[in-house]
Amino acid sequence: MNVESVLRMNPGHEPYSYARNSTHQRNVLFKTMPIVKERVSALYRKAIFPKYFALADLGCASGPNSLLAISWIIEAISGLCSQTGRSLPEVLVFLNDLPGNDFKTVLSSLPSFYENLKEKNRVEINCYVSAMPGSFYGRLFPSRSLHFVHSSYSVHWLSQVPELPEQNKGSIYMASTSPSSVFQAYIKQFQKDFTNLLSSRAEEIVPGGEMVLILIGRSIPDPTSKDCCLLFWWLSRSLVEMADQGLVEAADIDSFNLPFYTPYKHEVRDVVEEEGSFTINHLETFVVNWDPFCHEDDESYVFDKLKSGRNVADCIRSVTEPILRSHFGEGLMMDDLFERHARLVGEHLSVEKTKHFNIAVSMTRK
């Protein structure tokens, strides 16, 4: 599988598009907003006052979230300049994702983005936004050209499917039933990719520059933990159900594995320290519900397993449908697959309200 050509979110604004099913990712962004703003402040505390401020968002995807973190970063810069009496720098923004990303939808939202910036900051901000297609596991920008790099919910996607020494039967991702060699192949691919990301950004970020990465992880070292495996276990079960009914080939399930990895926090730390270009400021963990509309602090909230299962299944569909179609073909009945997925997830959530375990790491370029 050529991951760069098939890994993308569902485009546009259709019912199963990423733009309409990324509330979960938005919730994560709001959770991590204080970290992002604090690291922008850290730049100014170090007396880095550039005439232009260059920042990149890796894995921007499309939809209402694509420019959210960017707007917060610019607001933080505006506030700091106001406090210190300094002139606002010109802001250069690079939105990065793989070439198949729906950049058209993102760029069409720029006029309203610029207008909102002006209204919120009450000053004219010279901001220039451009798309930068390509894999963030390699070089993307000129040497020492960036001051700040942000990425949310992208780094858990790998550059390629790990080379598995034996088949991962009946599953499309790591599972408790997977051979130990499968887990080893996944961690090896993650270590390689994450090292490449760090070394590439080390060339591109100015000394003292900042990087904040947020990704899905797992809470314990055991790679068979529910934090890791349950995310796609129910999707695997849905495909197996369809195979039992002759709707898909079992061999196609056995030969398909997702280019995805949910690391333990110490695995993230170990790679950063081994690569050596960055100093870790904070490495934090937090959880969010699978169902992005499940707010346990809302006294009026009533759990509905069918609705909750559908909320999760729609989110997963928006990020996996293109890559599933690339392997299983156009004949795969997506509505059928995700109806099954929604049912299984809803039944699971009626027993246990599982949460995504997330890792946020902020780093400074040495």
Side-chain angles (χ1 to χ4, degrees):
M1 180 192 299
N2 183 348
V3 170
E4 286 195 31
S5 66
V6 298
L7 181 59
R8 56 183 176 274
M9 310 297 103
N10 271 343
H13 293 279
E14 298 304 313
Y16 300 114
S17 65
Y18 182 79
R20 293 183 61 174
N21 294 282
S22 52
T23 301
H24 171 80
Q25 291 85 343
R26 189 177 186 85
N27 292 345
V28 169
L29 281 168
F30 274 98
K31 281 263 191 183
T32 56
M33 175 179 61
I35 300 172
V36 172
K37 288 190 172 182
E38 196 281 329
R39 297 323 301 170
V40 174
S41 298
L43 275 173
Y44 280 75
R45 289 198 299 270
K46 289 179 287 193
I48 295 179
F49 302 107
K51 291 184 178 179
Y52 76 92
F53 191 98
L55 63 110
D57 190 83
L58 309 180
C60 65
S62 62
N65 299 339
S66 295
L67 292 161
L68 189 57
I70 298 300
S71 67
W72 291 336
I73 293 168
I74 295 174
E75 287 170 25
I77 295 169
S78 176
L80 289 163
C81 287
S82 177
Q83 292 170 20
T84 57
R86 293 182 177 271
S87 300
L88 276 169
E90 295 184 307
V91 181
L92 183 60
V93 177
F94 297 104
L95 299 176
N96 159 257
D97 213 312
L98 292 175
N101 182 58
D102 185 12
F103 284 109
K104 180 179 179 181
T105 297
V106 180
L107 297 178
S108 68
S109 68
L110 286 179
S112 59
F113 168 74
Y114 291 135
E115 187 62 34
N116 288 337
L117 271 186
K118 186 176 180 180
E119 289 179 5
K120 286 184 178 180
N121 294 278
R122 298 180 181 178
V123 293
E124 191 72 39
I125 296 176
N126 292 321
C127 178
Y128 309 94
V129 180
S130 61
M132 182 61 74
S135 170
F136 51 61
Y137 292 122
R139 288 291 304 274
L140 290 166
F141 309 102
S143 297
R144 298 194 175 191
S145 62
L146 300 176
H147 299 97
F148 198 97
V149 171
H150 172 269
S151 180
S152 184
Y153 264 46
S154 297
V155 178
H156 43 240
W157 290 104
L158 301 172
S159 69
Q160 66 179 64
V161 176
E163 296 181 7
L164 306 184
E166 52 190 311
Q167 276 198 325
N168 188 21
K169 288 186 179 254
S171 183
I172 62 173
Y173 185 54
M174 297 187 302
S176 58
T177 57
S178 300
S180 61
S181 63
V182 169
F183 301 115
Q184 292 303 314
Y186 267 95
I187 178 60
K188 182 179 179 181
Q189 186 63 49
F190 170 76
Q191 290 169 337
K192 177 182 177 182
D193 283 345
F194 196 40
T195 298
N196 287 341
L197 183 149
L198 293 171
S199 60
S200 295
R201 300 296 83 72
E203 294 292 326
E204 300 162 354
I205 298 175
V206 300
E210 298 285 334
M211 180 158 65
V212 177
L213 306 176
I214 301 100
L215 63 157
I216 303 176
R218 63 180 190 272
S219 61
I220 60 176
D222 182 4
T224 66
S225 71
K226 64 183 179 183
D227 294 330
C228 171
C229 295
L230 275 180
L231 181 65
F232 292 116
W233 172 251
W234 299 120
L235 189 55
S236 295
R237 294 304 89 201
S238 302
L239 285 164
V240 169
E241 275 189 6
M242 295 177 74
D244 290 342
Q245 297 173 14
L247 300 174
V248 297
E249 295 293 331
D252 287 341
I253 301 172
D254 296 341
S255 62
F256 178 73
N257 291 280
L258 285 167
F260 188 92
Y261 185 71
T262 46
Y264 180 48
K265 61 182 180 180
H266 291 312
E267 294 174 352
V268 172
R269 183 183 296 277
D270 288 347
V271 174
V272 174
E273 292 178 349
E274 177 68 23
E275 196 278 333
S277 299
F278 292 87
T279 299
I280 293 177
N281 302 302
H282 302 287
L283 199 161
E284 304 175 14
T285 61
F286 61 97
V287 295
V288 289
N289 289 323
W290 271 15
D291 180 356
F293 300 102
C294 174
H295 301 295
E296 292 156 342
D297 55 348
D298 182 356
E299 295 181 0
S300 64
Y301 176 77
V302 178
F303 176 73
D304 180 334
K305 72 176 183 180
L306 296 177
K307 185 176 181 180
S308 197
R310 169 55 58 197
N311 291 339
V312 177
D314 287 351
C315 178
I316 298 299
R317 179 171 181 172
S318 73
V319 302
T320 60
E321 184 168 357
I323 199 168
L324 288 170
R325 286 200 184 280
S326 74
H327 179 80
F328 291 94
E330 294 298 323
L332 178 62
M333 296 176 284
M334 288 293 171
D335 289 346
D336 186 3
L337 172 61
F338 284 98
E339 282 295 331
R340 297 169 190 265
H341 187 229
R343 170 177 53 81
L344 291 173
V345 169
E347 290 172 354
H348 168 75
L349 291 178
S350 68
V351 176
E352 175 186 330
K353 285 194 172 62
T354 311
K355 299 176 184 291
H356 287 295
F357 186 85
N358 302 281
I359 298 171
V361 57
S362 66
M363 296 170 277
T364 300
R365 174 70 172 95
K366 292 180 179 178

